[in-house]
């Protein structure tokens, strides 16, 4: 469990997210060429409506990460195989039962939410969405197992392969079948991910078949207890994405929902470039704490170092993204759409604020202290529901998005505040004040680029290109002089030769 392994996992996760972002861009470019933005919104709404069935998973996927990491940290590969096998059996049974019971409710919900002319396609897509949900939920057990084995490089490779399969399937099926082609595309992608993840996980664990079918009552209770906390958090997540899409459809229409789906998926992909690296902290810290003599001190040190690095990285990264939004969205859609930019800007602000709580959230998961992580997710869900509904009544679809951004920013702060109070950490400990000029420059640059785009009457891609290029150059120059980055480079130079030998 060396820093070299942590660095490898983080690097592969970031690389996978970056390549997947390019593939996602290409996928939606294909979709909006062959189907309408309202069709994209229809598929997004159908997929979001079925996600409630994920509650039946009881958070066992997250439990697999922590317990497999801890088992392997003690050198107990057989216990890790038992954990994965039990989780797989429980998850498969529960997701199948939940999908069968909830399917009629999903149908009724779509009949209420969709315009009459969109309902036939929506009901056809619903069958594919439920089947895809079952397959991806099962696949998630194996993907979580790879995380627990600290083989995020293999997980990243599997998910990247799935993204490639999804794009190829869409190129074949969507031109021929329109929006209904998205159903088979999702099934093909889910099957690929499930099969590949299962084969890799089984080969990596290298345990007899009997271990996979062993029932350990004590571990089952531990899994359910830990997963139950995560599942309460999942309720908050379900109050977020499906709620936003339902309210957007109600207050703004399916086209508005389609723009949100594209903008939000893009921002989640950008956010994943940072969050996926911090996600590697969960198995790393969980395994390391098994042999630690100073758990509290180790967690505190990891947090301060990771937050300082995140502060500098996030301001530079999100600043460049904000400046590039007009260019990227115009290139993606094929023309400039002010509503698309407004939606993307609100998503950008909400997920930027939420990204800053990453170290505290993931470290709580790593140490098995779920109280504040769960509270944060529930708070996000409840605030999103309240703000999005209230502001939607007042301002329509734009109000829904403002409410969701506020819910993300305010609710996510729960874990950050709790972690600082619990570990007696002040802002002075974790904010590198030498990075404040960088933060200010990024905020000003991104705001100027977005405001410039809004005020142009006939904007072109060339006009949009100069802003992000300038902001990017400034960010790179200022990052080079940040002490936290110089310290990281020094440490990497010390680690890499030993890792390679």
């Amino acid at each position: 469990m060396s820093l070299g392994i942590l660095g490898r996992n983080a690097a592969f996760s970031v690389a996978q997210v970056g390549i997947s972002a390019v593939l996602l861009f290409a996928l939606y470019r294909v979709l909006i060429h062959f189907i309408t933005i309202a069709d994209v919104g229809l598929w997004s709404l159908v997929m979001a409506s079925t996600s409630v069935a994920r509650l039946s998973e009881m958070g066992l996927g997250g439990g697999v990460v922590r317990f497999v990491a801890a088992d392997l940290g003690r050198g107990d590969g057989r216990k890790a195989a038992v954990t994965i096998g039990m989780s797989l059996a429980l998850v498969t049974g529960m997701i199948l039962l939940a999908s069968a019971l909830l399917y009629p409710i999903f149908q009724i919900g779509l009949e209420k939410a969709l315009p009459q002319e969109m309902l036939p396609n929506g009901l056809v897509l619903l069958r594919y969405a439920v089947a895809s949900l079952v397959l991806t939920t099962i696949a998630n057990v194996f993907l979580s197992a790879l995380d627990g084995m600290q083989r995020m490089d293999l997980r990243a490779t599997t998910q990247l392969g799935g993204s490639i399969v999804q794009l190829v399937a869409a190129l074949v099926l969507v031109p021929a079948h329109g929006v209904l082609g998205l159903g088979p595309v999702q099934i093909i992608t889910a099957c690929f991910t499930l099969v590949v993840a299962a084969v890799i996980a089984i080969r990596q664990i290298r345990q007899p078949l009997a271990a996979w079918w062993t029932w350990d009552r004590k571990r089952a209770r531990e899994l359910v207890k830990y997963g139950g906390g995560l599942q309460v958090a999942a309720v908050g997540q379900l109050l977020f994405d499906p709620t936003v899409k339902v309210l957007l459809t109600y207050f703004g229409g399916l086209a508005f929902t389609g723009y949100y789906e594209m903008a939000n998926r893009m921002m989640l992909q950008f956010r994943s470039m940072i969050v996926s690296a911090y996600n590697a902290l969960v198995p790393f810290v969980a395994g390391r704490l098994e042999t630690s003599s100073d758990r509290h001190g180790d967690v505190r040190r990891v947090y301060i170092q990771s937050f300082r690095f995140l502060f500098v990285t996030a301001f530079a990264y999100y600043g460049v993204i904000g400046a590039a939004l007009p260019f990227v969205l115009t290139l993606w859609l094929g023309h400039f759409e002010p509503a698309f930019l407004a939606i993307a800007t609100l998503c950008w602000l909400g997920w930027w604020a939420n990204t800053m709580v990453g170290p505290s959230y993931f470290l709580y998961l790593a140490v098995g202290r779920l109280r504040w992580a769960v509270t944060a997710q529930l708070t996000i869900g409840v605030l999103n529901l309240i703000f999005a509904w209230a502001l939607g009544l007042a301002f329509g679809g734009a109000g829904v998005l403002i409410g969701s951004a506020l819910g993300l920013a305010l609710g996510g702060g729960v874990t950050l505040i709790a972690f600082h109070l619990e570990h007696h950490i002040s802002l002075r400990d974790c904010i590198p004040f030498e990075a404040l000029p960088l933060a200010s420059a990024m905020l000003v640059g991104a705001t100027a680029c977005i405001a410039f785009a809004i005020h142009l009457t006939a904007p072109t891609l060339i006009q949009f290109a100069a802003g992000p290029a300038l902001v990017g150059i400034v960010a790179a120059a200022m990052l080079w002089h940040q002490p936290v980055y110089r310290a990281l480079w020094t440490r990497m130079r010390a680690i890499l030769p030993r890792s390679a030998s």
Side-chain angles (χ1 to χ4, degrees), residues 52 54-60 62 223-240 361 365 370-382:
V52 67
R54 283 192 178 275
L55 288 175
S56 63
E57 183 202 12
M58 295 179 60
L60 293 177
L223 278 168
V224 171
K225 181 179 179 181
Y226 183 86
L230 291 179
Q231 204 62 358
V232 175
V235 174
Q237 294 172 344
L238 288 172
L239 286 173
F240 184 78
Y361 180 83
L365 295 185
L370 302 183
R371 174 187 174 190
W372 291 112
V374 169
T375 302
Q377 292 293 348
L378 286 176
T379 304
I380 289 173
V382 172

Side-chain angles (χ1 to χ4, degrees), residues 74-97:
R74 294 190 300 270
D76 193 348
R78 187 181 186 282
K79 192 66 170 287
V82 170
T83 299
I84 300 168
M86 286 194 306
S87 299
L88 183 64
L90 289 169
V91 166
T92 301
M94 289 186 293
I95 192 63
L96 286 172
L97 178 62

Side-chain angles (χ1 to χ4, degrees), residues 245-285:
K245 290 176 180 176
V246 169
L247 291 177
L248 278 178
T249 302
Y250 181 76
F251 288 113
L254 280 173
F256 211 89
T257 306
Y259 282 131
Y260 170 76
E261 167 69 9
M262 293 178 65
N264 195 55
R265 283 288 298 276
M266 178 187 69
M267 289 312 307
L268 282 173
Q269 202 70 26
F270 283 140
R271 172 179 174 268
S272 294
M273 292 284 287
I274 292 179
V275 172
S276 60
Y278 279 84
N279 192 37
L281 285 174
V282 177
F284 176 79
V285 174

Side-chain angles (χ1 to χ4, degrees), residues 120-188:
N121 284 347
L123 293 177
V124 172
L125 291 173
L126 177 62
R127 295 196 290 269
Y128 289 108
V130 172
S132 170
L133 179 71
V134 171
L135 293 169
T136 54
T137 302
I138 298 171
N140 186 58
V141 175
F142 291 109
L143 292 172
S144 297
L146 292 176
D147 283 349
M149 298 172 199
Q150 298 205 54
R151 291 311 305 265
M152 290 183 179
D153 53 331
L154 296 177
R155 175 184 178 130
T157 302
T158 302
Q159 292 182 306
L160 182 58
S163 297
I164 295 172
V165 168
Q166 184 181 41
L167 176 59
V168 173
L171 284 168
V172 173
L173 294 173
V174 173
H177 303 284
V179 66
L180 295 182
L182 285 173
V185 168
Q186 202 70 16
I187 296 296
I188 292 169

Side-chain angles (χ1 to χ4, degrees), residues 27-37 40 262 332-334:
L27 173 65
Y28 277 95
R29 198 74 176 88
V30 170
L31 295 186
I32 61 178
H33 180 76
F34 290 105
I35 62 178
T36 67
I37 193 67
V40 175
M262 293 178 65
W332 201 7
L333 203 59

Side-chain angles (χ1 to χ4, degrees), residues 330-378:
T330 303
L331 181 65
W332 201 7
L333 203 59
H335 64 274
F336 179 68
E337 176 59 56
F340 195 19
L341 177 60
I343 292 169
T345 300
L346 289 171
C347 292
W348 169 66
L349 291 171
W351 286 116
W352 182 354
N354 184 265
T355 299
M356 302 308 297
V357 308
S360 58
Y361 180 83
F362 287 120
L363 283 173
Y364 270 132
L365 295 185
V367 300
R369 299 279 304 282
L370 302 183
R371 174 187 174 190
W372 291 112
V374 169
T375 302
Q377 292 293 348
L378 286 176

